[in-house]
């Protein structure tokens, strides 16, 4: 039983990260019907900004005396940097093709994914970059189950970000503009909603969440590398499809399910094939329920 509960904790931790990344996929798809394949590289860039910031602060002794402040600064800078990346991505690669075919947009997204990945490889090298060893030790024992401080931090941090996103989308004027643009862009424009501003805001929010996830992954696993965005990006996309792409609640739920399935598969079946199960789920969902778990039921949270 302890092993089962330990896997639940591990699955929720991993699922929280996938949910944060999946939100970016589902928001962008919901508003411009684009699968933003460069989103995984934005997630990786967030991880790099985190390690660069924390290493800089550690070298100057700031992290030793003010670890919370240093961690907050790392998250802030990573989210701001990735937000600028997303704005540039939308303005350069997607906006000029807004009236083009889906295939053109898809090819542009793939091209930007390769561009970002190779750019990170050239700038940061091909080897792993280790995170400073702060916040990674210590935890709590509940019977035979160990919950580390970092797992608590990731789960609580992810939940707070997801709650904040839901409040933003449902309670603010800009969030309502995002929802209306997602439902009918032409009618929203007639009613005076600035579609360009709304779309850019969607990219900024999605990239910020991915950046936070990147820093969390770096802190949790201890390092980042230039190609770390590919596999988690595909799994987060599978989570978005599983939950019902375009649906915020569905993306969160899908991320949790994918994380749990991966951890349980690695723990009880074969860890070598843990990455396969996300793709199996993606294929099964596309075949049996293309709308996903919540794709048709919750229209008021669709973005």
């Amino acid at each position: 039983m302890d092993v089962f509960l330990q896997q639940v904790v591990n699955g929720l931790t991993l699922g929280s990260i996938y949910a944060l990344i999946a939100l970016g996929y589902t928001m962008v798809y919901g508003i411009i019907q684009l699968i933003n394949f460069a989103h995984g590289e934005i997630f990786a860039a967030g991880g790099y900004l985190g390690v660069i910031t924390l290493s800089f602060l550690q070298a100057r002794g700031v992290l030793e005396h003010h670890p919370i402040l240093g961690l907050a600064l790392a998250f802030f800078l990573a989210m701001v940097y990735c937000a600028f990346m997303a704005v540039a991505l939308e303005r350069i690669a997607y906006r000029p093709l807004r009236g083009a075919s889906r295939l053109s947009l898809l090819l542009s997204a793939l091209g930007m994914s390769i561009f970002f990945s190779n750019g990170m490889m050239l700038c940061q090298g091909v080897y792993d970059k280790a995170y400073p060893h702060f916040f990674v030790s210590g935890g709590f024992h509940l019977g035979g189950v160990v919950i580390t401080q970092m797992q608590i931090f990731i789960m609580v941090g992810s939940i707070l970000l997801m709650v904040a996103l839901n409040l933003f989308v449902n309670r603010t004027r800009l969030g309502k503009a995002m929802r209306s643009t997602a439902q009918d862009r032409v009618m929203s424009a007639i009613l005076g909603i600035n579609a360009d501003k709304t779309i850019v805001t969607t990219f900024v929010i999605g990239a910020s969440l991915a950046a936070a996830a990147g820093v969390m992954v770096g802190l949790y696993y201890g390092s980042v590398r230039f190609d770390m965005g590919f596999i988690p990006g595909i799994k987060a996309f599978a989570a978005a499809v599983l939950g019902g792409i375009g649906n915020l609640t569905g993306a969160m739920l899908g991320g949790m399910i994918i994380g749990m399935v991966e951890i349980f598969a690695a723990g009880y079946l074969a860890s070598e094939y843990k990455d396969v199960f996300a793709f199996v789920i993606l294929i099964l969902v596309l075949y049996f329920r293309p709308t996903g778990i919540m794709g048709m039921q919750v229209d008021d949270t669709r973005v």
Side-chain angles (χ1 to χ4, degrees), residues 17-130:
I17 293 169
Y18 288 155
L20 285 180
I21 308 172
L23 284 169
Y25 279 107
T26 207
M27 290 173 68
V28 169
Y29 184 86
I31 206 160
I32 59 173
Q33 287 75 53
L34 165 70
I35 301 172
N36 181 17
F37 281 111
H39 192 62
E41 278 60 46
I42 291 177
F43 154 76
Y48 269 114
L49 252 293
V51 71
I52 290 170
T53 304
L54 291 175
S55 299
F56 176 82
L57 295 176
Q58 186 184 36
R60 280 149 185 80
V62 177
L63 204 57
E64 184 178 354
H65 300 291
H66 306 286
I68 303 298
L69 180 63
L71 190 62
L73 183 62
F75 272 94
F76 175 74
L77 291 179
M79 294 170 81
V80 170
Y81 176 77
C82 289
F84 277 108
M85 275 185 71
V87 171
L89 176 68
E90 194 274 334
R91 294 291 291 272
I92 296 172
Y94 298 150
R95 188 178 296 187
L97 297 175
R98 204 173 287 170
S101 66
R102 293 275 184 90
L103 181 61
S104 299
L105 279 167
L106 186 65
L107 291 175
S108 182
L110 288 171
M112 292 308 297
S113 172
I114 296 170
F115 174 78
F116 282 146
S117 180
N118 281 276
M120 283 186 283
M121 181 184 69
L122 292 173
C123 294
Q124 300 296 326
V126 297
Y127 301 108
D128 294 4
K129 281 194 173 297

Side-chain angles (χ1 to χ4, degrees), residues 266-290:
Y268 290 101
L269 298 175
S271 60
E272 295 86 354
Y273 299 105
K274 63 183 177 65
D275 293 335
V276 173
F277 293 96
F279 301 106
V280 171
I281 291 174
L282 177 62
I283 293 170
L284 292 176
V285 170
L286 290 175
Y287 187 81
F288 291 106
R289 191 176 171 81

Side-chain angles (χ1 to χ4, degrees), residues 27-299:
M27 290 173 68
V28 169
Y29 184 86
I31 206 160
I32 59 173
Q33 287 75 53
L34 165 70
I35 301 172
N36 181 17
F37 281 111
H39 192 62
E41 278 60 46
I42 291 177
F43 154 76
Y48 269 114
L49 252 293
V51 71
I52 290 170
T53 304
L54 291 175
S55 299
F56 176 82
L57 295 176
Q58 186 184 36
R60 280 149 185 80
V62 177
L63 204 57
E64 184 178 354
H65 300 291
H66 306 286
I68 303 298
L69 180 63
L71 190 62
L73 183 62
F75 272 94
F76 175 74
L77 291 179
M79 294 170 81
V80 170
Y81 176 77
C82 289
F84 277 108
M85 275 185 71
V87 171
L89 176 68
E90 194 274 334
R91 294 291 291 272
I92 296 172
Y94 298 150
R95 188 178 296 187
L97 297 175
R98 204 173 287 170
S101 66
R102 293 275 184 90
L103 181 61
S104 299
L105 279 167
L106 186 65
L107 291 175
S108 182
L110 288 171
M112 292 308 297
S113 172
I114 296 170
F115 174 78
F116 282 146
S117 180
N118 281 276
M120 283 186 283
M121 181 184 69
L122 292 173
C123 294
Q124 300 296 326
V126 297
Y127 301 108
D128 294 4
K129 281 194 173 297
Y131 263 67
H133 291 283
F134 278 84
F135 308 104
V136 296
S137 61
F140 304 94
H141 292 262
L142 299 175
V145 180
V146 179
I147 306 175
T148 65
Q149 294 178 4
M150 185 50 61
Q151 287 178 319
I152 295 172
F153 174 76
I154 289 174
M155 287 187 280
V156 173
S158 300
I159 290 170
L160 290 177
L161 287 172
M162 288 186 273
V163 169
L165 176 63
N166 259 312
L167 291 175
F168 176 82
V169 169
N170 291 297
R171 301 289 178 83
T172 66
R173 289 176 62 86
L174 194 51
K176 292 174 182 176
M178 291 166 62
R179 291 166 57 193
S180 62
T181 303
Q183 290 171 359
D184 192 329
R185 193 191 309 172
V186 176
M187 182 57 70
S188 299
I190 293 173
L191 295 175
I193 294 174
N194 188 329
D196 289 340
K197 178 182 176 183
T198 306
I199 292 170
V200 167
T201 303
T202 304
F203 271 85
V204 166
I205 295 173
S208 300
L209 294 174
V215 178
M216 289 178 182
V217 166
L219 290 168
Y220 190 48
Y221 292 106
S223 65
V224 293
R225 56 177 291 126
F226 75 95
D227 58 352
M228 64 177 275
F230 180 70
I231 296 296
I234 295 296
K235 290 177 182 176
F237 173 66
V241 173
L242 173 62
I245 193 161
N247 187 294
L248 294 182
T249 308
M252 299 175 201
L253 179 62
M256 291 295 177
I257 293 174
I258 292 289
M260 295 289 283
V261 168
E262 180 177 325
I263 290 297
F264 273 92
Y268 290 101
L269 298 175
S271 60
E272 295 86 354
Y273 299 105
K274 63 183 177 65
D275 293 335
V276 173
F277 293 96
F279 301 106
V280 171
I281 291 174
L282 177 62
I283 293 170
L284 292 176
V285 170
L286 290 175
Y287 187 81
F288 291 106
R289 191 176 171 81
T291 59
I293 297 173
M294 304 184 72
M296 299 296 289
Q297 286 88 349
V298 189
D299 292 336

